[in-house]
Amino acid sequence: MASQRVEIASGGHADWSTPVRVDESILQGSYQGIFMCRFTFEGGAAHYLKMRIIGVDEMDNDGEVPSGFGALEFQDSDGDVLRGRTEWYRRDGVDRGTWTFASGTGKWKGAAGKVDMFLTYMADELGTKLPPSGPIRFIGFLEGTGELDAPQL
């Protein structure tokens, strides 16, 4: 399969650890998320994968996240794995990310590509103040489009 357009839609949750203050305006904390994703290719074929993401976010005193990064690991119902990396950033008031894929197993072996993602999220508890003084859970929805070459599909 040559590189083709893919749409990704995903929902799930991520937990922030208690952050550490870097300076008076920025904190940094690790996070781990579990999501379910649908990859829909231009020909209509859909693949469902569970995703685990682990990374680090920077947050300001208002709880906004100007940047972050993470490792992505996807697994389909056959046990085949797709791996990637995400870079998060905030632009024009919107949380965005770039997912870069570079390896996999089984049908995802040799996969490579890049997808621009958008993130919408809410704290699990209403009224949660940020920055948090302890762990906090976020419920999120991710969506985006890009190119993915998965030669084994």
Side-chain angles (χ1 to χ4, degrees):
M1 172 192 298
S3 184
Q4 62 178 309
R5 189 156 186 79
V6 64
E7 292 182 11
I8 300 176
S10 179
H13 68 85
D15 298 317
W16 265 354
S17 67
T18 304
V20 172
R21 186 162 288 285
V22 175
D23 59 31
E24 293 308 312
S25 62
I26 296 290
L27 297 103
Q28 199 170 63
S30 63
Y31 66 87
Q32 174 171 284
I34 303 293
F35 290 78
M36 187 69 186
C37 301
R38 181 184 66 225
F39 286 51
T40 305
F41 289 91
E42 60 189 303
H47 295 269
Y48 293 86
L49 301 96
K50 60 184 174 179
M51 177 184 77
R52 183 168 168 245
I53 179 173
I54 293 180
V56 174
D57 280 340
E58 288 189 338
M59 61 200 88
D60 64 20
N61 290 325
D62 295 324
E64 297 293 335
V65 179
S67 68
F69 64 89
L72 304 166
E73 182 178 72
F74 301 83
Q75 185 178 40
D76 64 23
S77 61
D78 295 326
D80 295 337
V81 174
L82 174 63
R83 294 182 191 95
R85 180 170 172 81
T86 184
E87 298 289 337
W88 299 112
Y89 57 96
R90 188 163 177 82
R91 188 174 69 213
D92 301 328
V94 177
D95 292 295
R96 303 168 184 262
T98 301
W99 288 4
T100 304
F101 300 100
S103 71
T105 66
K107 70 180 74 62
W108 302 103
K109 185 176 182 177
K114 194 174 282 193
V115 178
D116 293 322
M117 300 295 293
F118 296 93
L119 168 62
T120 302
Y121 64 90
M122 290 189 286
D124 193 26
E125 295 180 25
L126 295 177
T128 301
K129 297 206 175 199
L130 294 175
S133 58
I136 187 170
R137 172 164 285 177
F138 290 91
I139 309 301
F141 188 78
L142 299 153
E143 56 190 323
T145 58
E147 299 290 322
L148 182 60
D149 182 4
Q152 308 298 317
L153 285 182

Short mmCIF file of all heavy atoms in Angstrom, two decimals, residues 81-113:
data_model
loop_
_atom_site.label_atom_id
_atom_site.label_comp_id
_atom_site.label_asym_id
_atom_site.label_seq_id
_atom_site.Cartn_x
_atom_site.Cartn_y
_atom_site.Cartn_z
N VAL A 81 0.88 -4.33 16.45
CA VAL A 81 1.19 -3.07 17.12
C VAL A 81 1.66 -2.01 16.12
O VAL A 81 2.41 -2.32 15.19
CB VAL A 81 2.28 -3.29 18.19
CG1 VAL A 81 2.73 -1.98 18.81
CG2 VAL A 81 1.77 -4.25 19.26
N LEU A 82 1.21 -0.78 16.33
CA LEU A 82 1.67 0.39 15.59
C LEU A 82 2.24 1.35 16.62
O LEU A 82 1.63 1.57 17.67
CB LEU A 82 0.50 1.04 14.84
CG LEU A 82 0.75 2.37 14.13
CD1 LEU A 82 1.78 2.20 13.00
CD2 LEU A 82 -0.56 2.94 13.59
N ARG A 83 3.43 1.90 16.35
CA ARG A 83 4.08 2.80 17.30
C ARG A 83 4.32 4.17 16.69
O ARG A 83 4.52 4.29 15.49
CB ARG A 83 5.41 2.23 17.76
CG ARG A 83 5.27 0.96 18.55
CD ARG A 83 6.62 0.44 19.03
NE ARG A 83 6.47 -0.89 19.56
CZ ARG A 83 6.66 -2.00 18.84
NH1 ARG A 83 7.03 -1.92 17.59
NH2 ARG A 83 6.49 -3.18 19.39
N GLY A 84 4.30 5.18 17.56
CA GLY A 84 4.57 6.53 17.08
C GLY A 84 4.92 7.47 18.21
O GLY A 84 5.15 7.06 19.35
N ARG A 85 4.94 8.73 17.86
CA ARG A 85 5.28 9.80 18.80
C ARG A 85 4.34 10.97 18.55
O ARG A 85 3.89 11.17 17.41
CB ARG A 85 6.73 10.23 18.56
CG ARG A 85 7.18 11.34 19.47
CD ARG A 85 8.69 11.56 19.36
NE ARG A 85 9.10 12.74 20.09
CZ ARG A 85 9.30 12.79 21.38
NH1 ARG A 85 9.14 11.72 22.11
NH2 ARG A 85 9.69 13.91 21.97
N THR A 86 4.04 11.71 19.58
CA THR A 86 3.23 12.91 19.44
C THR A 86 3.97 14.12 19.98
O THR A 86 4.72 14.01 20.94
CB THR A 86 1.87 12.77 20.16
OG1 THR A 86 1.08 13.93 19.90
CG2 THR A 86 2.02 12.58 21.64
N GLU A 87 3.75 15.23 19.33
CA GLU A 87 4.23 16.54 19.80
C GLU A 87 2.99 17.39 19.95
O GLU A 87 2.24 17.58 18.98
CB GLU A 87 5.19 17.18 18.79
CG GLU A 87 6.46 16.40 18.53
CD GLU A 87 7.44 16.42 19.68
OE1 GLU A 87 7.38 17.36 20.51
OE2 GLU A 87 8.25 15.49 19.77
N TRP A 88 2.72 17.92 21.15
CA TRP A 88 1.55 18.75 21.42
C TRP A 88 1.95 20.21 21.43
O TRP A 88 3.05 20.57 21.85
CB TRP A 88 0.93 18.41 22.77
CG TRP A 88 0.43 17.01 22.88
CD1 TRP A 88 0.94 16.02 23.66
CD2 TRP A 88 -0.65 16.43 22.17
NE1 TRP A 88 0.23 14.86 23.49
CE2 TRP A 88 -0.75 15.09 22.57
CE3 TRP A 88 -1.56 16.90 21.23
CZ2 TRP A 88 -1.72 14.23 22.08
CZ3 TRP A 88 -2.52 16.04 20.74
CH2 TRP A 88 -2.60 14.72 21.16
N TYR A 89 1.03 21.07 21.01
CA TYR A 89 1.25 22.51 21.06
C TYR A 89 -0.10 23.20 21.03
O TYR A 89 -1.12 22.61 20.69
CB TYR A 89 2.14 22.98 19.91
CG TYR A 89 1.61 22.63 18.54
CD1 TYR A 89 0.87 23.55 17.81
CD2 TYR A 89 1.85 21.38 17.96
CE1 TYR A 89 0.38 23.24 16.55
CE2 TYR A 89 1.36 21.06 16.71
CZ TYR A 89 0.62 22.00 16.02
OH TYR A 89 0.13 21.68 14.78
N ARG A 90 -0.11 24.45 21.42
CA ARG A 90 -1.35 25.24 21.42
C ARG A 90 -1.15 26.39 20.46
O ARG A 90 -0.17 27.13 20.55
CB ARG A 90 -1.64 25.75 22.82
CG ARG A 90 -2.97 26.40 22.96
CD ARG A 90 -3.35 26.50 24.45
NE ARG A 90 -4.60 27.18 24.62
CZ ARG A 90 -5.79 26.62 24.49
NH1 ARG A 90 -5.88 25.35 24.20
NH2 ARG A 90 -6.88 27.32 24.65
N ARG A 91 -2.09 26.53 19.49
CA ARG A 91 -2.03 27.62 18.52
C ARG A 91 -3.43 28.14 18.27
O ARG A 91 -4.36 27.36 18.08
CB ARG A 91 -1.41 27.13 17.21
CG ARG A 91 -1.16 28.29 16.23
CD ARG A 91 -0.41 27.84 15.00
NE ARG A 91 -1.27 26.98 14.19
CZ ARG A 91 -0.84 25.97 13.46
NH1 ARG A 91 0.43 25.66 13.42
NH2 ARG A 91 -1.69 25.24 12.75
N ASP A 92 -3.55 29.46 18.30
CA ASP A 92 -4.85 30.12 18.06
C ASP A 92 -5.94 29.60 19.00
O ASP A 92 -7.09 29.43 18.61
CB ASP A 92 -5.29 29.95 16.61
CG ASP A 92 -4.28 30.52 15.62
OD1 ASP A 92 -3.62 31.52 15.97
OD2 ASP A 92 -4.15 29.96 14.52
N GLY A 93 -5.55 29.31 20.25
CA GLY A 93 -6.52 28.86 21.25
C GLY A 93 -6.97 27.42 21.08
O GLY A 93 -7.93 27.00 21.72
N VAL A 94 -6.29 26.65 20.23
CA VAL A 94 -6.67 25.27 19.95
C VAL A 94 -5.52 24.34 20.32
O VAL A 94 -4.37 24.61 19.99
CB VAL A 94 -7.04 25.08 18.46
CG1 VAL A 94 -7.37 23.64 18.15
CG2 VAL A 94 -8.20 25.99 18.08
N ASP A 95 -5.85 23.24 21.01
CA ASP A 95 -4.85 22.22 21.34
C ASP A 95 -4.67 21.31 20.14
O ASP A 95 -5.64 20.73 19.63
CB ASP A 95 -5.29 21.42 22.56
CG ASP A 95 -5.28 22.27 23.81
OD1 ASP A 95 -4.19 22.70 24.21
OD2 ASP A 95 -6.37 22.52 24.37
N ARG A 96 -3.43 21.20 19.69
CA ARG A 96 -3.10 20.44 18.48
C ARG A 96 -1.96 19.49 18.76
O ARG A 96 -1.22 19.65 19.73
CB ARG A 96 -2.67 21.38 17.36
CG ARG A 96 -3.69 22.43 17.01
CD ARG A 96 -3.09 23.50 16.11
NE ARG A 96 -4.03 24.56 15.85
CZ ARG A 96 -4.77 24.65 14.75
NH1 ARG A 96 -4.67 23.74 13.82
NH2 ARG A 96 -5.60 25.65 14.59
N GLY A 97 -1.79 18.54 17.86
CA GLY A 97 -0.68 17.62 17.96
C GLY A 97 -0.30 17.11 16.60
O GLY A 97 -1.10 17.17 15.66
N THR A 98 0.90 16.62 16.49
CA THR A 98 1.35 15.94 15.29
C THR A 98 1.77 14.54 15.70
O THR A 98 2.64 14.38 16.56
CB THR A 98 2.54 16.67 14.64
OG1 THR A 98 2.13 18.01 14.32
CG2 THR A 98 2.99 15.96 13.37
N TRP A 99 1.09 13.54 15.15
CA TRP A 99 1.45 12.15 15.40
C TRP A 99 2.33 11.69 14.25
O TRP A 99 1.97 11.82 13.08
CB TRP A 99 0.21 11.27 15.46
CG TRP A 99 -0.63 11.47 16.70
CD1 TRP A 99 -0.42 12.38 17.70
CD2 TRP A 99 -1.79 10.74 17.05
NE1 TRP A 99 -1.40 12.25 18.65
CE2 TRP A 99 -2.26 11.24 18.28
CE3 TRP A 99 -2.49 9.71 16.44
CZ2 TRP A 99 -3.38 10.75 18.92
CZ3 TRP A 99 -3.63 9.22 17.07
CH2 TRP A 99 -4.06 9.72 18.30
N THR A 100 3.48 11.15 14.59
CA THR A 100 4.42 10.62 13.61
C THR A 100 4.57 9.12 13.85
O THR A 100 4.89 8.70 14.97
CB THR A 100 5.79 11.32 13.75
OG1 THR A 100 5.59 12.73 13.63
CG2 THR A 100 6.75 10.85 12.67
N PHE A 101 4.31 8.34 12.82
CA PHE A 101 4.40 6.88 12.92
C PHE A 101 5.68 6.41 12.26
O PHE A 101 6.06 6.91 11.20
CB PHE A 101 3.19 6.23 12.21
CG PHE A 101 1.89 6.65 12.81
CD1 PHE A 101 1.12 7.64 12.20
CD2 PHE A 101 1.43 6.09 13.98
CE1 PHE A 101 -0.09 8.05 12.75
CE2 PHE A 101 0.22 6.49 14.55
CZ PHE A 101 -0.54 7.47 13.92
N ALA A 102 6.35 5.43 12.89
CA ALA A 102 7.64 5.00 12.36
C ALA A 102 7.91 3.50 12.48
O ALA A 102 8.91 3.04 11.95
CB ALA A 102 8.77 5.77 13.05
N SER A 103 7.04 2.74 13.15
CA SER A 103 7.30 1.30 13.25
C SER A 103 6.03 0.56 13.63
O SER A 103 5.04 1.16 14.06
CB SER A 103 8.40 1.01 14.28
OG SER A 103 7.94 1.24 15.59
N GLY A 104 6.10 -0.75 13.49
CA GLY A 104 4.97 -1.58 13.87
C GLY A 104 5.30 -3.05 13.69
O GLY A 104 6.40 -3.41 13.26
N THR A 105 4.32 -3.89 14.00
CA THR A 105 4.46 -5.34 13.83
C THR A 105 3.29 -5.85 13.01
O THR A 105 2.27 -5.17 12.86
CB THR A 105 4.49 -6.06 15.19
OG1 THR A 105 3.21 -5.91 15.82
CG2 THR A 105 5.58 -5.54 16.10
N GLY A 106 3.43 -7.07 12.48
CA GLY A 106 2.32 -7.67 11.72
C GLY A 106 1.91 -6.78 10.57
O GLY A 106 2.74 -6.29 9.80
N LYS A 107 0.61 -6.51 10.47
CA LYS A 107 0.10 -5.70 9.35
C LYS A 107 0.58 -4.25 9.39
O LYS A 107 0.49 -3.55 8.41
CB LYS A 107 -1.43 -5.77 9.30
CG LYS A 107 -2.15 -5.07 10.41
CD LYS A 107 -3.66 -5.16 10.31
CE LYS A 107 -4.25 -6.46 10.65
NZ LYS A 107 -4.08 -6.96 12.01
N TRP A 108 1.11 -3.81 10.54
CA TRP A 108 1.60 -2.43 10.68
C TRP A 108 3.12 -2.35 10.48
O TRP A 108 3.70 -1.27 10.59
CB TRP A 108 1.21 -1.86 12.04
CG TRP A 108 -0.27 -1.88 12.24
CD1 TRP A 108 -0.99 -2.77 13.00
CD2 TRP A 108 -1.23 -1.02 11.64
NE1 TRP A 108 -2.34 -2.50 12.90
CE2 TRP A 108 -2.51 -1.43 12.08
CE3 TRP A 108 -1.15 0.07 10.76
CZ2 TRP A 108 -3.69 -0.79 11.68
CZ3 TRP A 108 -2.32 0.70 10.38
CH2 TRP A 108 -3.57 0.27 10.82
N LYS A 109 3.76 -3.48 10.18
CA LYS A 109 5.21 -3.48 9.95
C LYS A 109 5.54 -2.57 8.76
O LYS A 109 4.90 -2.65 7.71
CB LYS A 109 5.72 -4.89 9.67
CG LYS A 109 7.22 -4.96 9.55
CD LYS A 109 7.69 -6.39 9.38
CE LYS A 109 9.22 -6.38 9.31
NZ LYS A 109 9.73 -7.74 9.22
N GLY A 110 6.51 -1.70 8.93
CA GLY A 110 6.91 -0.78 7.88
C GLY A 110 6.05 0.47 7.79
O GLY A 110 6.24 1.29 6.90
N ALA A 111 5.09 0.62 8.71
CA ALA A 111 4.21 1.79 8.68
C ALA A 111 5.00 3.07 8.94
O ALA A 111 5.92 3.10 9.74
CB ALA A 111 3.10 1.66 9.71
N ALA A 112 4.63 4.11 8.22
CA ALA A 112 5.26 5.43 8.39
C ALA A 112 4.27 6.49 7.95
O ALA A 112 3.48 6.27 7.04
CB ALA A 112 6.53 5.52 7.56
N GLY A 113 4.31 7.63 8.61
CA GLY A 113 3.43 8.71 8.21
C GLY A 113 3.29 9.77 9.27
O GLY A 113 3.89 9.68 10.34
#
